């Protein structure tokens, strides 16, 4: 089939038990981009294993056309079922230069095929420890998405949109990604280094109610931090006993863990709000702007002002030089 020089063919490989939500997020963003350009910039080809998926009957991946980019779409969590034929095909596609984006458990056939070995890859927080054991050669992270050369991975869920906006900003420019973000009412484009929020109970289980209570107190007292003695008093433990719990189950001391929570909250506020840096520092329990700036720089290796500038660059797009063209096309 002939294709224009400007078109980009995209394969949507829908794995068994894949999330329809993941497919929908990807397809909607690409189809809307086509509407903005007023021509099929992205040619979509849905495919599946065996010809059947959540969409019904679609073409078997073995019978599909060659594509420029392949999305391997899975669920948030699923069992790791091997498929040697699929894994061989994915290796072949990679050798032919096909770019791959794995969504949710779409990472599993790539991991089974060895395509993630030595690469930073991410997955949903609920399965990361299991995958670290199963695939020790993969550099698993808790980030929303990762990129390594021609390969991108994301944890699934809402992070599918984050990955898509990042990919489209590389394909087109920040103007287009920012327009898509506004059109689909996405509050902001989260950068890839945003960490997944992992529930504490998922990390340590339910057998440590005092520890969970202490962390909950920290989270609800960010602006006016409790002292270590007050924290221990409120949970009914000695300070030394509480320190032992933190060290054993979180490999940290209460004061350092508390500071991490406050700094994470500050980073989120710098990225998500227009509150001044002084206001953010005070809201996160820092008594002076200089103390806040010094502590932030020591922890994140950049100042609060640099963080705010970076967030503005990612979210607002630098020039909007063809935003008028976009609006006219939509009109």
């Amino acid at each position: 089939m002939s294709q224009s020089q400007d078109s980009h063919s995209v394969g949507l490989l829908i794995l068994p038990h894949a999330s329809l939500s993941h497919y929908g997020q990807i397809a909607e963003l690409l189809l809307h981009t086509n509407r903005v350009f007023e021509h099929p910039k992205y040619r979509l080809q849905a495919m599946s294993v065996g010809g059947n998926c959540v969409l019904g009957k679609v073409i078997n991946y073995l019978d599909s056309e060659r594509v420029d980019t392949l999305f391997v779409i899975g669920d948030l969590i699923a069992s790791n079922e091997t498929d040697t034929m699929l894994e061989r095909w994915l290796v072949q596609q990679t050798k032919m230069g096909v770019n791959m984006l794995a969504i949710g458990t779409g990472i599993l056939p790539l991991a089974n095929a060895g395509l993630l070995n030595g690469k930073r890859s991410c997955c949903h927080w609920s399965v990361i420890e299991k995958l670290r054991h199963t695939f020790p050669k993969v550099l698993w992270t808790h980030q929303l998405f990762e990129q390594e050369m021609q390969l991108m991975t994301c944890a699934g869920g809402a992070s599918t949109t984050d990955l898509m906006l990042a990919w489209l900003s590389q394909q087109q420019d920040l103007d287009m990604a920012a327009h898509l973000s506004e059109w689909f009412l996405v509050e902001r484009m989260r950068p890839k280094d945003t960490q997944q929020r992992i529930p504490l109970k998922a990390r340590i289980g339910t057998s440590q109610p005092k520890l969970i209570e202490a962390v909950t107190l920290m989270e609800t007292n960010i602006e006016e931090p409790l002292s270590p003695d007050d924290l221990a008093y409120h949970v009914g433990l000695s300070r030394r006993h509480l320190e032992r719990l933190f060290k054993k189950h979180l490999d940290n001391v209460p004061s350092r863990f508390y500071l991490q929570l406050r700094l994470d909250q500050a980073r989120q506020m710098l990225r998500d709000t227009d509150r001044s840096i002084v206001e953010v520092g005070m809201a996160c329990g820092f008594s002076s702007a200089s103390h806040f700036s010094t502590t932030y720089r020591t922890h994140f290796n950049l100042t609060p002002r640099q963080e705010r500038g970076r967030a503005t660059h990612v979210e607002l797009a630098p020039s909007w030089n063809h935003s008028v063209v976009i609006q006219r096309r939509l009109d």
Side-chain angles (χ1 to χ4, degrees):
M1 180 181 294
S2 64
Q3 50 183 302
S4 67
Q5 187 176 1
D6 192 37
S7 67
H8 187 102
S9 57
V10 175
L12 304 175
L13 175 56
I14 306 165
L15 298 181
H17 314 296
S19 167
L20 188 58
S21 171
H22 293 160
Y23 170 83
Q25 290 174 73
I26 297 166
E28 275 296 316
L29 284 162
L30 293 175
L31 291 173
H32 184 75
T33 302
N34 286 346
R35 287 194 289 270
V36 172
F37 279 111
E38 296 183 330
H39 75 89
K41 168 68 179 177
Y42 295 103
R43 298 186 306 110
L44 309 188
Q45 181 180 184
M47 58 184 81
S48 68
V49 178
N52 289 291
C53 64
V54 290
L55 296 180
K57 192 169 183 61
V58 299
I59 191 170
N60 189 310
Y61 72 92
L62 293 171
D63 301 321
S64 63
E65 297 178 16
R66 164 78 183 274
V67 297
D68 299 309
T69 297
L70 178 69
F71 286 86
V72 185
I73 305 171
D75 201 345
L76 281 177
I77 54 176
S79 59
N80 181 20
E81 300 176 357
T82 59
D83 184 333
T84 304
M85 184 176 295
L86 172 62
E87 292 153 19
R88 262 201 307 263
W89 184 81
L90 290 170
V91 171
Q92 181 186 41
Q93 298 304 301
T94 301
K95 289 179 178 178
M96 291 192 299
V98 175
N99 297 306
M100 290 197 184
L101 291 86
I103 312 297
T105 54
I107 60 173
L108 294 177
L110 276 71
N112 282 324
L115 294 173
L116 303 183
N117 289 349
K119 295 182 173 64
R120 289 175 61 86
S121 307
C122 63
C123 59
H124 194 267
W125 58 262
S126 63
V127 295
I128 192 166
E129 292 305 323
K130 177 181 178 181
L131 292 184
R132 277 179 176 158
H133 176 74
T134 307
F135 304 105
K137 294 182 180 180
V138 181
L139 308 178
W140 297 108
T141 78
H142 286 292
Q143 295 189 172
L144 293 181
F145 61 94
E146 289 282 3
Q147 180 168 14
E148 289 262 4
M149 301 297 288
Q150 67 187 93
L151 174 69
M152 296 182 77
T153 57
C154 89
S159 69
T160 304
T161 296
D162 297 305
L163 173 135
M164 284 299 299
L165 292 173
W167 182 70
L168 284 166
S169 72
Q170 296 170 14
Q171 284 277 306
Q172 308 305 323
D173 51 33
L174 279 172
D175 288 357
M176 176 60 77
H179 162 71
L180 291 169
S181 181
E182 287 190 343
W183 184 260
F184 287 99
L185 305 180
V186 177
E187 184 178 355
R188 68 186 183 98
M189 292 183 280
R190 295 182 294 178
K192 74 172 188 175
D193 63 351
T194 304
Q195 297 286 311
Q196 299 176 48
R197 182 174 174 81
I198 306 171
L200 188 62
K201 288 181 180 179
R203 295 168 61 184
I204 65 173
T206 58
S207 62
Q208 299 298 325
K210 293 293 185 181
L211 183 57
I212 293 173
E213 184 181 354
V215 172
T216 301
L217 279 171
M218 291 178 176
E219 291 174 336
T220 54
N221 290 274
I222 295 291
E223 186 170 353
E224 297 183 6
L226 298 170
S227 70
D229 289 330
D230 285 342
L231 195 62
Y233 171 79
H234 284 299
V235 298
L237 297 174
S238 69
R239 177 173 173 175
R240 182 169 294 182
H241 189 181
L242 187 61
E243 289 173 347
R244 285 199 297 268
L245 286 179
F246 268 83
K247 184 63 177 176
K248 179 179 179 181
H249 298 284
L250 298 175
D251 194 27
N252 213 331
V253 295
S255 58
R256 185 66 183 172
F257 188 89
Y258 208 166
L259 179 62
Q260 174 75 57
L261 286 178
R262 292 161 55 205
L263 288 170
D264 285 345
Q265 176 73 7
R267 181 164 65 171
Q268 184 175 350
M269 292 177 69
L270 289 168
R271 290 177 170 180
D272 294 355
T273 75
D274 59 0
R275 297 178 68 175
S276 71
I277 291 173
V278 172
E279 289 176 324
V280 170
M282 292 182 64
C284 295
F286 293 92
S287 57
S288 69
S290 60
H291 181 214
F292 173 48
S293 182
T294 300
T295 306
Y296 197 96
R297 184 175 63 248
T298 300
H299 190 80
F300 291 119
N301 202 31
L302 75 168
T303 66
R305 189 174 301 279
Q306 290 169 328
E307 183 75 78
R308 172 61 57 78
R310 186 172 69 165
T312 301
H313 173 74
V314 169
E315 293 168 26
L316 296 183
S319 61
W320 289 94
N321 52 19
H322 63 263
S323 58
V324 175
V325 176
I326 290 176
Q327 187 59 53
R328 285 175 180 169
R329 285 171 176 164
L330 291 174
D331 293 341

